[in-house]
Amino acid sequence: MYSISKKINILKQAPIAKNFFSNVEMTRLAVTQFTCCDCGHENSIEIIPYESGFPIFQIYNEDIVLSKGELLQNKIVTETSNSMLHFGALTVSNLPTLYFGTDCQSCHSKYFCVFSYGEKQPGLTVLQISGIWKYE
Ligand SMILES: [Zn+2]
């Protein structure tokens, strides 16, 4: 997992095995797999709450990596409802939203993954992966 600081182009979304985890399914970390669009290799990703990922704000801040429009058009995030704006203008399901970059272990194509993690309602903490996209 790495952060991204230069302009990227989103190419296409890769299939992901599981994109939603609730607190009962996830004690220490969430594990899922995505299938590389180029070579078909099944890559494992592990997300550790409060450790994995970087704030999505770093992506759309001043349109450095992607513009807000590109994030919305690709349905990577949605506009945050007014009561949750403290999590930022763009989020996944109005929860704190993070991203990371990763590479296909087989062909080294580059991927961009976005997820949110937080308390959806009292006692229910969820981790939702918006998706994983190939980029260049
Ligand atoms: Zn690949």
Side-chain angles (χ1 to χ4, degrees), residues 68 72 77-82 84-85 88-94:
K68 286 184 181 178
L72 291 168
V77 293
T78 55
E79 290 188 27
T80 308
S81 65
N82 281 336
M84 297 294 182
L85 280 176
L90 302 178
T91 53
V92 175
S93 300
N94 293 308

Side-chain angles (χ1 to χ4, degrees), residues 5-113:
S5 56
K6 288 185 184 145
K7 188 82 192 158
I8 62 172
N9 287 315
I10 294 290
L11 297 177
K12 64 196 242 193
Q13 191 167 6
I16 193 160
K18 182 171 165 67
N19 61 12
F20 185 88
F21 300 82
S22 66
N23 42 2
V24 290
E25 299 170 295
M26 165 183 67
T27 46
R28 199 180 64 81
L29 77 174
V31 182
T32 188
Q33 295 80 35
F34 75 92
T35 307
C36 178
C37 301
D38 283 350
C39 73
H41 182 76
E42 195 170 86
N43 293 279
S44 188
I45 47 177
E46 295 187 352
I47 299 176
I48 304 171
Y50 305 114
E51 268 188 49
S52 303
F54 309 89
I56 190 78
F57 173 76
Q58 293 174 2
I59 294 294
Y60 63 81
N61 181 32
E62 296 175 359
D63 298 348
I64 289 170
V65 179
L66 288 168
S67 68
K68 286 184 181 178
E70 287 169 305
L71 286 165
L72 291 168
Q73 279 157 24
N74 286 288
K75 298 185 166 55
I76 297 170
V77 293
T78 55
E79 290 188 27
T80 308
S81 65
N82 281 336
S83 59
M84 297 294 182
L85 280 176
H86 49 283
F87 293 143
L90 302 178
T91 53
V92 175
S93 300
N94 293 308
L95 288 172
T97 300
L98 302 137
Y99 81 94
F100 58 86
T102 187
D103 294 346
C104 172
Q105 286 156 3
S106 177
C107 73
H108 307 293
S109 293
K110 293 180 181 306
Y111 286 88
F112 169 64
C113 182

Side-chain angles (χ1 to χ4, degrees), residues 107-125:
C107 73
H108 307 293
S109 293
K110 293 180 181 306
Y111 286 88
F112 169 64
C113 182
V114 176
F115 68 97
S116 66
Y117 179 77
E119 198 171 52
K120 191 84 188 156
Q121 46 183 270
L124 176 63
T125 300

